[in-house]
């Protein structure tokens, strides 16, 4: 394992670029195919966002890391203001997620993931002691994480909130945390969950998804639940699409048009259904290998980073990508309950794409500057 | 820059290893799951995906029916056939469209639209429906829904593919229309003849007189027994050619039908297809092809009538499901259909027989209107405007010939004259008289001499009787409709009093709540005399005009009926209503909220009785302006009105110009005079004298209603 990381981290920057570009291209082609079934033209905007994302990546690659570190908290507060502003917009599908800036709709929760990683890493930049952190030392970092998570929950956007929280918590874990404190936190979470369940902080429809996930056979379909059948039956339909791909898939643009058309979120959360049906198991494994390669390369970058800030940022960015991919794929294949998490670089959505590419730029920046050691 | 110590680096290395381990396990789990779904269960899912092609369909709601007070259907739903094409399933588009064009007499525009829509459909749009034609002819007449009968020999006629018009063949010697025997009027130097009655056109040569295109010959094999129109059995033709027309579907749905046709045009209104804008505005409610109320009750009660659409989900290729596919069946279970909720039925206070009487009474006039209401409840029994329109024509079945008859009629058949503005003229004397009595300006014995004119600020206001009535009391001037007495009343009361009494005591110049035309009358005041146009300085003479119901004063027949109902009911002005109750889809009866009276006239019983007596005398005294209509069996009471309304219209021919110069003839009254059961307001536009023209109409209406012993509601609610 460690040899694998070492090789990955010692390979030139080109490895990272190659893997990342393959993922981006694969995602874009797949979205075009999804458009073919649905008759929409979402890939056109996605191409524009890819170009924007490349610019963001190049900018983050060339900028001085210290500058990012210094301005991390300025960015953080701008992000928080944007998250508050979003709560005052008109809801789309009962959720307020998008800000309209100069005709572009931006989802502030997406860049917030990256900014939060910057802010946390900036907070930890000068800690020299090797000791793991206790409960009191955790107050500030936890606040940095929980403020945006709370605002995202208010939108509401459970999926993004879970990812944001997990990424923040992971960065705190990377920095080190006392075992006792860790256990206390986990215990607290386990304690909060039943309370949240009891008092409907977890909404009824979210509960339904969990019920449906745990025991689909015993799930009782009431009338009101059937009214939301589209949402709840997606995993089922997506699973059929994935399964019907078999070993080598049906081939590009040879999927089942009608079923894919009735998969309402086929461009966003359930995008992998198209890929799995067209390219089968071989295509899915190829995609997983690309993700794993990118994650391994990123972790290598973290390991060889020249300073604490860079190392933590790299770890955070890699965690965000890996978590989103695993949660999304788990959800689509029915291993996890349905929470709205997109598949990075594959799902439609400008904000997510640009931020993922900007994260890649930051990784390149860290990889580039390790030479100063 | 805080460089990492080697210890710290070691620490992060450990974390990175842990992270890689955890993420690898995550990806591994996903990979295993993919293996399970795609390799182990792949075959099964593949088969399932063959079967489970889930389709969703919408169940359109049934629109509520409308009935009159005696439960006769005024608006109903009858089956109609439509045909459309699914581009993905069509084998050869060119030949399909060509066959359709000849079978269904499509115009070039239609064929082009169908071709381009079918060709331009991409991706999943190729499974969407392209409409070919609506309201196909089956076994019933699309105009009046009567059974069609087969013609003994097929009838041939011409059709222009460019403009869509149809023409009959004009055999030499044909003088009368073959459908309704209307006289043929020859035009275009003998090439074209048009039926005066139905507008059908006859041609000698197969060339379209409108655009010069070569005409195609078409055959009809069906004829409607009642209207005489000929049709082709399009549904049968399509079904017979089913094998050639792959991808062409015929669907049966419901359309709106109005069995009483033009009798219900004004109150009920009509429906037609929603437009793209309305679909965009309320996408959950309307889909393209749905109908929406456009006029009258159909429009104002659209929400109650339309109901709510349902939805069902079906599996395509259902036959492939076996018992073993319990998963699939369970899925289908999850998709329980959501039934459509039908709209409410509507029961009106209207009586269709009274509508029929009104039509008979008014049909000899160019333009007229009549309103019949119950004085105590304010229920509308009849509401008719002449000329009127047939809602069946406007509910999406308007042909060129019919449209032309509407467009070319100079008397605006689409106008609702029951809620159009007219000067009330002498009818208004009732208002002026009661106001003057209330103000104490006059009593019942005051006499004013009528020399035939009235001098006021250097101008002579004339009485309608040029030689003068002589010395008159208030009652006399009501009966003989002397203007001079009321000029004096107007002068003494002043404009402000006239305005305030009309607006706030008699509640005129306000909507009655059931207008479909939009006129709500106009009560002038000193500050704003004219309804439209610039504000002008008030002229004192206008007060006199207002006092006799002229000048810029305007009322609608509905308002006049309401006013006379108030007088008939001893001062309680009822609010008008047209809807008696709703019936829910489950058969439950929901009465509409009955509104209380609009207002109560605050006059003494003596004043009211004397005014009522004057109205009685206007008909029954030998001197009365409407003495010609007095009857022995039913005692009538009412007031005539002759409104000066000479107008000119651009491009009017001589006959029309002459007609426009005449006065409007009014009559409003109630019967029986002792115990009023109905109130009738009649206006004949440019008819002439109220007593000579409008009063006989009133008599005709009342006589017929009482002769037929119609189920009049009990009015003994005093």
């Amino acid at each position: 394992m460690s040899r694998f990381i070492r090789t990955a981290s010692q390979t030139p920057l080109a490895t990272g670029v190659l893997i990342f570009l393959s993922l981006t291209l694969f995602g874009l082609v797949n979205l075009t195919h999804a458009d073919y079934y649905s008759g929409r033209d979402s890939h056109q905007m996605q191409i524009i966002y890819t170009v924007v994302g490349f610019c963001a990546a190049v900018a983050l690659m060339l900028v001085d890391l210290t500058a990012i570190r210094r301005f991390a908290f300025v960015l953080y507060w701008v992000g928080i203001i944007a998250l508050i502003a979003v709560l005052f917009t008109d809801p789309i599908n009962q959720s307020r997620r998008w800000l309209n800036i100069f005709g572009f709709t931006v989802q502030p929760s997406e860049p917030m993931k990256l900014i939060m990683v910057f802010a946390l890493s900036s907070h930890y930049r000068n800690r020299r002691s090797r000791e793991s952190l206790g409960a009191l030392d955790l107050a500030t970092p936890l606040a940095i994480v929980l403020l945006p998570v709370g605002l995202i929950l208010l939108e509401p956007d459970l999926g993004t909130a879970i990812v944001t929280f997990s990424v923040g918590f992971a960065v705190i874990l990377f920095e080190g945390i006392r075992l006792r404190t860790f256990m206390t936190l986990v215990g607290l979470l386990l304690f909060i969950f039943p309370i949240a369940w009891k008092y409907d902080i977890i909404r009824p429809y979210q509960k339904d998804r969990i019920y449906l996930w745990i025991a689909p056979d015993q799930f009782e379909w009431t009338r009101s639940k059937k009214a939301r059948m589209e949402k709840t039956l997606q995993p089922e339909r997506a699973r059929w699409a994935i399964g019907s791909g078999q070993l080598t898939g049906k081939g590009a643009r040879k999927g089942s048009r009608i079923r894919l058309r009735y998969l309402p979120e086929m461009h966003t959360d359930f995008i992998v259904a198209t890929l799995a049906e067209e390219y089968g198991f071989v295509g899915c494994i190829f995609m997983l290998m690309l993700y794993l390669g990118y994650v391994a390369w990123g972790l290598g970058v973290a390991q060889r980073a020249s300073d604490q800030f860079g190392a933590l940022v790299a770890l955070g960015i890699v965690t965000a990508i890996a978590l989103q991919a695993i949660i999304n794929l788990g959800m689509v294949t029915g291993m996890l309950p349905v929470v709205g998490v997109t598949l990075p670089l594959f799902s439609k959505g400008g904000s997510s794409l640009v931020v993922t590419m900007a994260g890649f730029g930051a990784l390149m920046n860290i990889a580039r500057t390790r030479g100063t050691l | 820059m805080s460089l990492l110590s080697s210890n710290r680096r070691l620490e992060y290395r450990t974390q990175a290893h842990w992270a890689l381990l955890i993420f690898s396990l995550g990806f591994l789990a996903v990979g295993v799951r993919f293996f399970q779904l795609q390799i182990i269960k792949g075959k099964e899912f593949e088969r399932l995906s063959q079967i489970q092609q889930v389709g969703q369909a919408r169940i359109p709601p049934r629109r509520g029916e409308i009935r009159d007070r005696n439960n006769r259907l005024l608006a109903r739903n009858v089956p109609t056939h439509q045909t459309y094409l699914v581009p993905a399933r069509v084998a050869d588009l060119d030949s399909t469209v060509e066959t359709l064009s000849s079978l269904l007499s499509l115009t070039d525009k239609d064929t082009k639209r169908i071709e381009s829509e079918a060709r331009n459909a991409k991706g999943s749009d190729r499974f969407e429906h392209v409409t070919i034609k609506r309201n196909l002819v089956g076994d019933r007449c699309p105009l009046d829904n009567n059974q069609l009968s087969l013609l003994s020999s097929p009838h041939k006629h011409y059709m222009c593919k460019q403009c869509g018009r149809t023409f009959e063949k004009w055999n030499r010697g044909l003088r009368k229309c073959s459908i309704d025997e209307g006289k043929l009027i020859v035009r275009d130097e003998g090439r074209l003849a048009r039926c005066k009655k139905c507008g059908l056109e006859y041609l000698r040569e197969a060339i379209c007189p409108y655009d010069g295109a070569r005409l195609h010959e078409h055959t009809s094999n069906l004829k409607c027994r009642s209207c005489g129109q000929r049709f082709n059995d399009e549904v049968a033709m399509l079904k017979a050619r089913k094998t050639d027309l792959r991808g062409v579907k015929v669907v049966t749905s419901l359309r709106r039908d109005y069995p009483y046709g033009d009798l219900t045009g004004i109150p009920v209104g009509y429906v037609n297809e929603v437009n793209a804008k309305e679909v965009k505005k309320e996408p959950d409610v309307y889909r393209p092809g749905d109908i929406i109320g456009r006029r009258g009750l159909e429009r104002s009660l659209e929400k109650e009538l339309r109901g709510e659409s349902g939805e069902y989900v079906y599996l395509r290729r259902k036959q492939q499901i076996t018992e073993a596919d319990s998963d699939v069946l369970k899925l289908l279970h999850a998709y329980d259909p959501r039934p459509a909720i039908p709209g409410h039925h509507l029961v009106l206070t209207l009586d269709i027989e009274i509508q029929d009487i009104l039509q008979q009474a008014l049909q000899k006039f160019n333009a007229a209107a009549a309103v019949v209401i119950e004085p105590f409840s304010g229920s509308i029994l009849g509401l008719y405007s002449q000329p009127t329109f047939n809602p069946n024509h406007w509910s999406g079945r308007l042909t060129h010939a019919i449209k032309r008859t509407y467009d070319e009629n100079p008397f605006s058949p689409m106008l609702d004259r029951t809620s159009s503005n007219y000067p009330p003229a002498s009818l208004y004397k009732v208002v002026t008289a009661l106001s003057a009595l209330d103000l104490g300006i006059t009593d019942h014995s005051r006499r004013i001499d009528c020399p035939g004119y009235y001098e006021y600020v250097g101008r002579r206001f004339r009485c309608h009787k040029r030689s003068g009535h002589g010395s008159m009391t208030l009652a006399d001037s009501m009966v003989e409709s002397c203007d001079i007495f009321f000029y004096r009343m107007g002068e003494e009361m002043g404009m402000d009093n006239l305005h305030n009494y009309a607006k706030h005591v008699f509640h005129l110049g306000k909507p009655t709540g059931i207008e479909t035309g939009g006129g709500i009358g106009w009560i002038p005041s000193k500050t704003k005399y004219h309804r439209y146009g610039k504000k002008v300085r008030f002229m004192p003479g206008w007060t006199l005009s207002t006092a006799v119901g002229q000048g810029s004063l305007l009322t609608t027949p509905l308002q006049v009926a309401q006013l006379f109902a108030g007088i008939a009911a001893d001062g309680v002005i009822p609010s008008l209503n047209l809807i008696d109750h709703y019936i829910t889809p489950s058969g439950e009866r929901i009465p509409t909220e009955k509104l209380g009276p609009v207002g109560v006239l605050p006059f003494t019983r003596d004043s009211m009785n004397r005014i009522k007596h004057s109205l009685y005398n206007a008909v029954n005294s030998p001197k009365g302006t409407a003495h010609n209509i007095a009857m022995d069996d039913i005692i009538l009471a009412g007031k005539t009105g002759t409104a000066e309304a000479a107008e000119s219209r651009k491009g009017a021919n001589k006959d029309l110009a002459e007609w426009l110069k005449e006065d409007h003839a009014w009559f409003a009254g109630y019967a029986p005079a002792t115990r009023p059961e109905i109130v009738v307001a009649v206006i004949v536009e440019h008819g002439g004298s109220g007593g000579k023209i409008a009063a006989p109409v009133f008599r005709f209406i009342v006589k017929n209603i009482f002769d037929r012993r119609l189920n009049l509601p009990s009015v003994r609610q005093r």
Side-chain angles (χ1 to χ4, degrees):
Chain A
M1 180 75 86
S2 65
R3 252 188 80 196
F4 177 55
I5 293 195
R6 205 171 301 135
T7 13
S9 64
Q10 277 160 0
T11 44
L13 298 182
T15 317
V17 175
L18 191 72
I19 296 176
F20 189 80
L21 283 189
S22 314
L23 263 177
T24 315
L25 198 67
F26 198 6
L28 207 54
V29 167
N30 190 50
L31 188 69
T32 318
H33 287 189
D35 276 347
Y36 169 74
Y37 300 120
S38 68
R40 288 189 227 166
D41 50 4
S42 48
H43 63 278
Q44 292 171 3
M45 271 319 272
Q46 197 78 354
I47 290 169
I48 296 172
Y49 282 124
T50 311
V51 175
V52 176
F54 266 113
C55 298
V58 170
L60 269 174
M61 193 174 124
L62 296 179
V63 80
D64 195 353
L65 263 184
T66 35
I68 299 180
R69 204 187 63 203
R70 285 217 184 102
F71 288 107
F73 276 95
V74 177
L75 282 174
Y76 181 79
W77 289 114
V78 170
I80 292 293
I81 289 168
L83 279 179
I84 293 172
V86 130
L87 297 179
F88 293 98
T89 55
D90 292 329
I92 301 169
N93 293 335
Q94 288 120 37
S95 177
R96 303 175 175 86
R97 299 182 186 179
W98 292 272
L99 264 191
N100 200 328
I101 298 170
F102 307 123
F104 284 92
T105 45
V106 178
Q107 205 174 336
S109 53
E110 289 291 339
M112 200 58 212
K113 283 182 224 163
L114 189 58
I115 292 171
M116 188 195 63
V117 168
F118 286 151
L120 270 179
S121 312
S122 178
H123 172 74
Y124 281 133
R125 67 183 182 274
N126 285 326
R127 218 173 62 83
R128 287 184 181 274
S129 112
R130 266 192 66 222
E131 271 175 47
S132 295
L133 291 166
L136 280 177
D137 309 311
L138 279 177
T140 321
L142 269 182
I144 294 174
V145 176
L146 288 180
L147 182 59
V149 169
L151 288 171
I152 294 169
L153 272 178
L154 284 179
E155 288 181 2
D157 185 352
L158 183 66
T160 312
I162 288 175
V163 170
T164 313
F165 178 77
S166 311
V167 170
F169 198 68
V171 174
I172 293 173
L173 277 183
F174 287 138
E175 182 52 38
I177 180 170
R178 257 185 226 148
L179 189 64
R180 210 173 54 199
T181 321
F182 177 72
M183 295 310 277
T184 318
L185 280 176
V186 169
L188 206 64
L189 219 60
L190 287 180
F191 180 70
I192 287 172
F193 187 72
I195 294 175
W197 186 276
K198 174 96 199 279
Y199 292 103
D200 275 357
I201 296 168
I202 297 174
R203 282 150 221 255
Y205 71 90
Q206 291 166 345
K207 285 184 192 172
D208 281 347
R209 288 180 194 175
I210 293 173
Y211 282 132
L212 192 67
W213 167 57
I214 295 172
D217 296 334
Q218 273 112 53
F219 192 75
E220 272 181 51
W221 291 97
T222 62
R223 217 176 165 69
S224 60
K225 283 173 189 169
K226 270 171 203 163
R228 287 190 299 268
M229 63 185 178
E230 282 304 342
K231 201 83 184 167
T232 42
L233 281 166
Q234 275 176 41
E236 192 105 13
R237 294 188 197 172
R239 236 171 292 156
W240 279 337
I242 293 167
S244 66
Q246 300 191 60
L247 182 65
T248 51
K250 296 175 182 169
R253 301 194 175 198
K254 296 220 172 80
S256 157
R257 242 174 229 153
I258 292 164
R259 183 190 41 257
L260 287 172
R261 231 183 88 209
Y262 282 108
L263 200 60
E265 296 205 12
M266 62 172 291
H267 291 89
T268 52
D269 293 1
F270 290 86
I271 186 77
V272 83
T274 309
L275 184 149
E277 184 162 359
E278 287 187 346
Y279 303 117
F281 184 61
V282 175
C284 291
I285 292 300
F286 179 62
M287 177 194 68
L288 288 178
M289 294 307 288
L290 281 179
Y291 270 122
L292 195 61
Y294 182 58
V295 166
W297 175 79
L299 290 174
V301 169
Q303 229 179 71
R304 310 271 305 178
S306 59
D307 63 355
Q308 213 165 332
F309 176 74
L312 278 180
V313 166
L315 280 170
I317 290 171
V318 169
T319 309
I321 300 278
L323 268 182
Q324 286 185 64
I326 291 169
I327 293 179
N328 174 278
L329 294 173
M331 166 184 110
V332 173
T333 53
M335 293 195 296
L336 295 173
V338 179
V339 285
V341 172
T342 56
L343 187 61
L345 300 172
F346 279 79
S347 290
K348 182 191 115 183
S351 307
S352 166
L353 181 70
V354 171
V355 169
T356 311
M357 295 181 84
F360 169 69
L363 281 181
M364 289 293 284
N365 193 341
I366 295 158
R368 201 170 55 95
T369 46
R370 73 177 168 191
T372 56
L373 236 178
Chain B
M1 190 170 280
S2 54
L3 294 179
L4 288 174
S5 65
S6 57
N7 275 339
R8 296 291 298 163
R9 169 156 293 165
L10 198 67
E11 196 178 305
Y12 284 127
R13 176 171 292 169
T14 325
Q15 323 287 38
H17 285 173
W18 274 109
L20 185 65
L21 184 69
I22 291 168
F23 294 151
S24 302
L25 283 177
F27 282 117
L28 186 68
V30 173
V32 169
R33 180 69 172 170
F34 273 126
F35 184 80
Q36 187 197 3
L37 289 178
Q38 296 185 301
I39 307 296
I40 299 175
K41 285 191 180 170
K43 277 252 151 53
E44 190 189 333
F45 277 130
E46 171 57 26
R47 205 175 53 77
L48 275 176
S49 76
Q50 294 266 316
I51 309 163
Q52 63 97 17
Q53 302 213 336
V54 181
Q56 264 165 304
R58 177 169 173 268
I59 314 168
R62 178 198 39 66
R63 200 174 173 84
E65 288 168 347
I66 301 178
R67 290 163 188 273
D68 81 341
R69 67 186 310 129
N70 296 319
N71 237 9
R72 276 169 293 212
L73 264 175
L74 307 185
R76 61 180 175 182
N77 304 300
V78 296
T80 178
H81 311 280
Q82 307 173 2
T83 174
Y84 47 74
L85 161 158
V86 181
R89 307 209 191 286
V90 174
D92 178 2
L93 189 65
D94 288 323
S95 76
T96 306
V97 171
E98 205 187 311
T99 316
L100 286 172
S101 157
S102 67
L103 283 183
L104 302 177
S105 349
L106 299 177
T107 62
D108 286 348
K109 215 173 124 197
D110 280 331
T111 36
K112 267 201 199 105
R113 175 187 58 84
I114 295 163
E115 263 189 81
S116 75
E117 275 183 38
R119 275 194 213 293
N120 293 336
K122 290 267 145 50
S124 58
D125 281 353
R126 288 169 48 76
F127 293 92
E128 296 288 339
H129 296 162
V130 175
T131 305
I132 301 167
K133 196 176 180 184
R134 295 211 164 84
N135 296 314
L136 293 181
V137 181
D139 56 346
R140 285 184 173 272
C141 175
L143 298 176
D144 53 22
N145 206 43
N146 282 315
Q147 190 81 35
L148 295 172
S149 57
L150 261 175
L151 284 170
S152 49
S153 63
H155 174 80
K156 286 196 162 63
H157 63 96
Y158 292 131
M159 188 222 159
C160 177
K161 290 256 180 199
Q162 235 174 67
C163 61
R165 290 183 174 90
T166 54
F167 305 94
E168 292 295 308
K169 283 187 175 177
W170 191 15
N171 300 324
R172 236 160 247 291
L174 193 65
R175 293 279 158 82
K176 277 181 179 171
C177 177
S178 56
I179 288 175
D180 52 14
E181 308 232 309
K183 200 181 159 204
L184 292 186
I185 295 162
V186 180
R187 294 194 172 178
D188 249 12
E189 296 161 0
R191 273 186 300 229
L192 171 78
R194 186 186 294 170
C195 170
K196 201 179 175 187
K197 242 165 132 182
C198 61
L200 199 64
E201 288 173 312
Y202 288 74
L203 271 188
R204 286 210 198 284
E205 290 165 19
I207 289 168
C208 180
Y210 294 93
D211 48 27
R214 185 107 201 124
L215 295 177
H216 291 247
E217 206 169 69
H218 272 282
T219 327
S220 310
N221 53 4
L222 296 175
K223 186 177 181 176
C224 175
R225 279 186 200 134
S226 67
C227 71
Q229 299 275 357
R230 300 187 192 91
F231 301 98
N232 205 357
D233 192 346
E234 291 165 333
V235 176
M237 302 277 261
L238 286 180
K239 295 235 158 121
R241 298 287 294 272
K242 211 173 164 186
T243 43
D244 304 351
L245 297 170
R246 271 192 54 202
V248 175
K249 282 184 183 175
V250 178
V251 165
T252 306
S253 58
L254 293 174
R255 70 165 170 81
R256 205 64 162 160
D257 182 64
Y258 304 93
Y260 289 96
D262 49 11
L263 287 186
T264 53
I266 292 295
V268 173
Y270 59 85
V271 298
N272 60 31
E273 206 168 301
V274 289
N275 57 37
K277 228 171 149 186
E278 282 150 347
V279 174
K280 212 175 165 190
K281 206 175 148 203
E282 290 176 280
D284 298 341
V285 181
Y286 297 110
R287 298 282 169 86
D290 280 2
I291 56 170
I292 185 170
R294 289 286 179 218
R295 217 192 135 128
L297 291 175
E298 293 273 27
R299 180 186 164 135
S300 56
L301 296 176
E302 167 71 15
K303 249 191 198 147
E304 284 81 357
L305 287 168
R306 77 179 166 218
E308 216 177 281
S309 63
E311 206 170 37
Y312 72 97
V313 172
Y314 59 93
L315 295 183
R316 295 161 206 268
R317 305 183 197 175
K318 209 174 178 177
Q319 62 276 17
Q320 293 178 19
I321 301 177
T322 60
E323 280 296 312
D325 297 327
S326 59
D327 278 5
V328 179
L329 291 174
K330 207 183 284 163
L331 178 80
L332 194 63
H333 244 42
Y335 292 112
D336 229 12
R338 183 157 54 88
I341 303 168
H344 288 354
H345 295 309
L346 219 61
V347 179
L348 307 185
T349 59
L350 207 69
D351 188 327
I352 199 71
E353 275 193 56
I354 293 182
Q355 288 291 92
D356 187 42
I357 292 168
L358 296 185
Q359 186 179 44
Q360 285 176 32
L362 298 178
Q363 65 187 356
K364 60 174 182 261
F365 302 113
N366 284 334
V371 177
V372 182
I373 67 173
E374 269 183 326
F376 293 93
S377 63
S379 297
I380 292 177
L381 300 171
L383 198 68
Y384 192 79
S385 169
Q386 162 77 20
T388 192
F389 60 91
N390 187 337
N392 285 324
H393 293 157
W394 290 89
S395 297
R397 276 157 287 160
L398 202 59
T399 63
H400 280 281
I402 295 169
K403 177 81 168 42
R404 194 166 46 225
T405 60
Y406 280 109
D407 289 347
E408 288 177 0
N409 192 330
F411 307 111
S412 328
M414 301 307 288
L415 185 68
D416 175 13
R417 292 186 158 79
T418 62
S419 56
S420 294
N421 292 330
Y422 299 100
S426 305
L427 297 181
Y428 198 72
K429 284 172 184 164
V430 179
V431 174
T432 313
L434 280 167
S435 313
L437 284 170
D438 194 45
L439 279 171
I441 289 169
T442 183
D443 52 27
H444 298 290
S445 54
R446 182 175 176 187
R447 287 187 167 273
I448 291 168
D449 186 57
C450 167
Y453 58 85
Y454 187 76
E455 295 263 9
Y456 184 65
V457 285
R459 217 189 117 189
R460 270 192 178 190
F461 289 80
R462 293 200 172 277
C463 182
H464 71 92
K465 193 176 174 188
R466 295 292 153 101
S467 54
H469 289 97
S471 175
M472 303 290 280
T473 61
L474 177 66
D476 295 338
S477 21
M478 286 281 291
V479 172
E480 294 177 45
S481 205
C482 171
D483 292 334
I484 305 307
F485 194 94
F486 291 94
Y487 286 144
R488 169 63 66 83
M489 292 298 109
E491 188 190 341
E492 290 180 15
M493 280 167 75
M495 193 65 192
D496 292 336
N497 274 328
L498 283 171
H499 175 83
N500 289 340
Y501 268 97
K503 192 110 192 177
H504 305 301
V505 178
F506 289 92
H507 299 279
L508 291 167
K510 293 174 189 169
T512 55
I514 53 163
E515 280 85 1
T516 65
I520 57 162
W522 176 246
I523 306 297
S525 65
K526 244 182 194 167
T527 46
K528 199 166 188 311
Y529 183 75
H530 291 294
R531 188 169 180 198
Y532 301 113
K534 267 193 206 152
K535 236 180 176 178
V536 286
R537 202 169 61 83
F538 184 74
M539 310 283 278
W542 290 347
T543 313
L544 303 199
S545 302
T546 307
V548 294
Q550 291 280 171
S552 77
L553 187 76
L554 294 170
T555 53
T556 67
L558 273 169
Q559 287 171 334
V560 167
Q562 194 178 21
L563 169 70
F564 275 75
I567 289 161
D570 285 330
V572 183
I573 305 176
S575 54
L576 300 185
N577 55 68
L578 186 51
I579 301 142
D580 193 66
H581 60 271
Y582 295 101
I583 296 174
T584 61
S586 55
E588 202 182 327
R589 193 185 145 120
I590 309 175
T592 46
E593 201 185 327
K594 289 277 183 283
L595 299 170
V598 172
V600 178
L601 300 179
F603 308 119
T604 60
R605 201 167 184 99
D606 179 53
S607 308
M608 289 301 292
N609 282 344
R610 279 178 189 259
I611 292 296
K612 282 172 92 173
H613 195 70
S614 306
L615 296 180
Y616 165 82
N617 274 338
V619 177
N620 295 303
S621 137
K623 275 186 161 180
T625 45
H627 182 61
N628 53 332
I629 63 163
M631 285 193 291
D632 294 335
D633 48 349
I634 310 158
I635 301 161
L636 310 175
K639 181 81 195 78
T640 57
T642 308
E644 288 167 22
E647 53 183 312
S648 59
R649 199 185 290 174
K650 246 189 189 168
N653 61 24
K654 209 180 143 204
D655 287 350
L656 191 62
E658 281 294 311
W659 177 74
L660 285 168
K661 275 183 197 159
E662 290 283 333
D663 296 337
H664 290 329
W666 269 107
F667 193 90
Y670 48 85
T674 44
R675 241 179 184 183
E677 287 184 37
I678 52 169
V679 174
V680 183
V682 178
I683 182 162
V684 178
E685 247 183 60
H686 302 295
S689 147
K692 286 200 189 92
I693 304 294
V697 175
F698 170 77
R699 180 182 138 120
F700 179 89
I701 292 168
V702 172
K703 190 170 173 354
N704 274 281
I705 289 176
F706 281 91
D707 278 0
R708 292 201 202 176
R709 293 184 189 286
L710 292 182
N711 172 24
L712 283 179
S714 93
V715 288
R716 331 266 178 245
Q717 297 173 359
R718 299 185 205 188

